[in-house]
């Protein structure tokens, strides 16, 4: 039984230069498709996959030419969530000097770091659920700006059965879409939710045939590309902030932000064109 602290050992594994590539990035002009690619394990969130994903998203976030990112999984699943082997390592190291602090660091800096990057980026993220989505993988999808689903997609509320609580922003996402009672029922029932049911609950925006999933995601990217860059980049943090704001605070934020739009050439050109 290893006595190495969980967090340093997992980071070391994630940074292994000989680790197989578990994340694929495909650039398509002003957009990119990021694929979790460990299909034989249903894209479980192993240390190498998590670290590779974070590096890929940081690179895309820093690229001003990339306005939207599609996050998907290699068939047949989107992501099975946390790696049970890593969880076992965590259990075996609870007597380490840091106790559960290293588990906290991994959850906060790695899992939470990716969620914060998605939410805080000016780039628009589109989650394309191609199959089962569970745990932290599901949390990342729900953090994205749009969620579309293949008819084969299944949402798996696995937290309760493992003795865990909703994590990495899932509690926030669920209560805002389902309300408190709906979110608690989701957690206690722990039943698989089909793509159609997820759409009815407001967890996904659109359900499409499996073979049309990436094409539909690309359509959302094209909608983003058709808008002035500043408009989408400003609307994303505005809407995320006002989700928790009072009406008066939301109005105030809008009043300060709106004049900036008047200074852009895109707005001026639109006004002139409409008047013409």
């Amino acid at each position: 039984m290893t006595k190495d602290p969980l967090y340093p050992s997992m980071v070391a594994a994630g940074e292994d230069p000989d680790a197989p590539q578990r994340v694929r990035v495909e650039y398509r002009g002003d957009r990119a498709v990021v694929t979790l690619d460990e299909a034989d394990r249903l894209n479980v969130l192993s240390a190498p996959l998590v670290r590779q994903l974070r590096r890929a998203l940081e690179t895309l976030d820093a690229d001003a030419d990339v306005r939207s990112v599609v996050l998907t999984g290699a068939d047949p699943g989107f992501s099975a969530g946390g790696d049970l082997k890593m969880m076992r390592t965590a259990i075996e190291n609870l007597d380490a000097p840091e106790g559960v602090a290293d588990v906290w660091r991994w959850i906060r800096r790695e899992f939470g770091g990716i969620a914060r990057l998605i939410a805080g980026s000016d780039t628009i993220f589109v989650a394309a659920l191609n199959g089962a989505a569970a745990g932290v993988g599901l949390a990342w999808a729900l953090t994205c700006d749009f969620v579309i689903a293949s008819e084969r997609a299944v949402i798996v509320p696995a937290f309760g059965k493992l003795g865990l609580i909703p994590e990495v922003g899932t509690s926030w996402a669920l209560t805002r879409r389902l309300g408190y009672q709906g979110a608690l029922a989701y957690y206690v029932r722990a039943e698989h939710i089909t793509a159609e049911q997820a759409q009815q609950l407001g967890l996904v925006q659109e359900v499409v045939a499996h073979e049309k999933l990436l094409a539909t995601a690309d359509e959302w990217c094209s909608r983003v590309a058709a808008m002035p860059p500043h408009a989408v980049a400003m609307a994303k943090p505005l809407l995320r902030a006002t989700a928790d704001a009072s009406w008066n605070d939301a109005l105030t934020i809008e009043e300060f932000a709106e004049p900036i739009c008047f200074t852009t050439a895109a707005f001026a050109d639109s006004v002139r064109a409409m008047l013409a």
Side-chain angles (χ1 to χ4, degrees):
M1 179 175 68
T2 178
K3 292 295 183 180
D4 292 336
L6 170 74
Y7 185 72
S9 65
M10 290 302 98
V11 170
E15 298 293 354
D16 181 359
D18 296 324
Q21 282 298 309
R22 293 177 169 90
V23 173
R24 288 187 283 112
V25 179
E26 179 185 356
Y27 286 85
R28 299 179 178 179
D30 62 4
R31 62 206 66 174
V33 177
V34 177
T35 305
L36 309 181
D37 192 14
E38 197 170 357
D40 58 335
R41 298 185 67 201
L42 295 178
N43 307 316
V44 70
L45 303 181
S46 63
L49 185 148
V50 172
R51 297 291 286 184
Q52 290 173 20
L53 176 62
R54 186 171 184 182
R55 287 197 296 269
L57 296 187
E58 287 172 344
T59 299
L60 292 169
D61 178 46
D63 190 338
D65 293 329
V66 176
R67 296 188 56 191
S68 54
V69 173
V70 176
L71 180 62
T72 192
D75 284 342
F78 179 78
S79 175
D83 189 341
L84 291 175
K85 293 180 180 178
M86 288 177 62
M87 295 181 193
R88 181 178 62 192
T89 301
I91 293 169
E92 292 173 348
N93 282 276
L94 292 181
D95 60 345
E98 283 284 277
V100 298
D102 283 320
V103 178
W104 169 77
R105 289 188 182 95
W106 179 265
I107 292 172
R108 176 171 173 78
R109 297 179 184 178
E110 307 306 322
F111 291 158
I114 289 173
R116 289 183 178 88
L117 189 154
I118 292 171
S121 172
D122 292 341
T123 305
I124 295 296
F125 284 81
V126 182
L129 302 184
N130 58 299
V136 176
L138 174 60
W140 290 339
L142 294 177
T143 304
C144 288
D145 305 296
F146 304 114
V147 185
I148 61 173
S150 154
E151 60 194 353
R152 301 179 190 173
V154 179
I155 288 179
V156 183
F159 307 105
K161 289 183 177 180
L162 287 173
L164 298 174
I165 58 172
E167 57 189 344
V168 192
T170 305
S171 61
W172 186 93
L174 292 177
T175 52
R176 275 149 186 77
R177 290 166 174 81
L178 309 178
Y180 159 71
Q181 291 184 338
L184 185 59
Y186 166 99
Y187 175 76
V188 172
R189 284 197 187 103
E191 297 174 348
H192 290 193
I193 297 173
T194 66
E196 290 75 15
Q197 291 171 326
Q199 185 178 28
Q200 292 171 0
L201 291 170
L203 297 173
V204 306
Q205 279 74 55
E206 190 172 2
V207 178
V208 299
H210 186 74
E211 62 273 13
K212 295 182 179 179
L213 180 64
L214 289 183
T216 303
D218 193 64
E219 290 174 4
W220 282 97
C221 295
S222 293
R223 293 184 180 106
V224 171
M227 299 184 70
H230 78 273
V232 180
M234 291 177 67
K236 175 175 175 174
L238 170 69
L239 294 175
R240 283 186 177 270
T242 55
D244 290 319
S246 67
W247 177 87
N248 189 64
D249 287 345
L251 187 62
T252 301
I253 294 171
E254 293 166 356
E255 289 165 345
F256 275 101
E258 183 80 339
I260 298 174
C261 298
F262 278 70
T263 69
T264 64
F267 176 74
D269 291 344
S270 295
V271 171
R272 294 189 185 102
M274 293 178 70
L275 289 174

